Each structure stands twice: as structure tokens, then as C-alpha cells.
Amino acid sequence: MPEIISDKVNEYASRFSEPTDDLLKEIEEFTLKNHPHSNMLSGHWQGKLLEMLSKMVRPSRILEVGTFVGYSALCLAKGLKPGGELHTLELRDEDADTAEKYFARSSQADQIILHRGNALELIPSLNETWDLVFIDADKTNYINYYELVVPRVRQGGVILADNVLFHGEVLTENITGKNAIAINAFNEHVAADERTQQVIITVRDGLMLIIKK
């Protein structure tokens, strides 16, 4: 598997990026120590990018597909307008329980709403127009999530999709893993969509920035 970004680049970029707050540091330390899938955590560098993108958009309504332990939601919520809301969707109860505990301790506690269940069922049930969407859930459904949210994103609104380089597997000549195949198909799908414009940012495992025309 090819190396996407060297550890030296990651360390250098993190050193010159604004530090995270104490709650986010605690979440990161806890997850790295205790969660079997700690590699799924956004972490300092990408978390700070999510925060700053959210502050640029200044959203009233954010949708996050895939809460995990709540780190990315807390980063994105920092850009909410007063009275704005972030709705985050999580299938796994254990992760949702962890996220809820951290949300309750944050300064954005009253702006974050966690929904438990299957995102394919939850997304259509939310009667909102989204300013910002972050897709970071099961890779085989990325196209389905995208198609569900695009009609509900305002013109000029932003969709972010994580892991679009999928550990470098999408760079191989013959893609074999089901998740890598799904991500490559998603990247092709978005690139061909005339409703949006997109660019891949090579931070961590790849983040696609998509704007609705």
C-alpha cells in the first residue's frame, strides 16, 4: 500500500496548526488508548481543518453522517451561527454513548443533536436544508448518502467526504477491496455530477470538498 503522507509531514503540519482545546485532546487520548478502531478518529490536523471550513461557511444547519466518538462533530460545531444546529447520525450505540458524554461537556451542547440508527433511514426523516454536510460512515454507501443529501443542500452549500484516498488503495492499478472499490466509484460519481464542483484535499486519508452549484 503506497504511503499517502509521511509521518514527518503530519508532525510538521500539526506543529504549525493551532492547538485543539482540552476536551478534544481528552477525546483523542481516550480513543487512541481504548477504541479498537481509533484510526477512524479525525485527530488534531484534520479536526482543525473541519473547524476552519465550518467557520468559513458559517452554517445554521450541519449534518454529519457518522458520529464515531464525537470528535469531528465538536470541531464542526465551532462554526455554527448562534441558534444553529448540528445533527449527527450514528448506528453503533456504544460510540453514540461515548459521543453523548463528550457533547454534554462541550460549550456547543445545546446545539448538537445525536440521532441513533441507520443513516439511510434517518436522512430522509430530517426536514432540514443543510449548509454543511460531513460524510464519514460506511464506505459502501457513500454514493447513497451523497444522493440523499445533495437535494437537501442549499445552493452554495458544502459537502465534505472523508477517506476518499482510502489508505492509498484507490491508487492501485487493480482495486480489489470492497471499500476501496466503493470509494473510487464515489469519487468518479461526484466528478461526473454537474450539480456540484469538487476538489480532493490530500490531508490525512483524503478529504473531498464539494460545493453545490
Side-chain angles (χ1 to χ4, degrees), residues 33 42-43 62 67 103 111 114-115 157 166 189 200 206:
K33 248 184 227 182
S42 290
I62 300 175
T67 311
F103 293 159
Q111 293 181 284
L114 190 148
H115 305 264
F166 203 72
H189 183 83
I200 288 179

Side-chain angles (χ1 to χ4, degrees), residues 73-89:
L74 289 170
C75 294
L76 291 164
K78 291 178 185 290
L80 280 170
K81 287 182 179 177
E85 294 177 351
L86 182 149
H87 293 256
T88 183
L89 318 179

Side-chain angles (χ1 to χ4, degrees), residues 8-9 19 33 43 53 82 91 97 108 123 165 177 205 209:
K8 284 187 177 180
V9 172
K33 248 184 227 182
L53 287 171
L91 180 63
D97 289 343
Q108 291 90 24
I123 294 170
L165 297 177
D205 197 27
L209 170 62

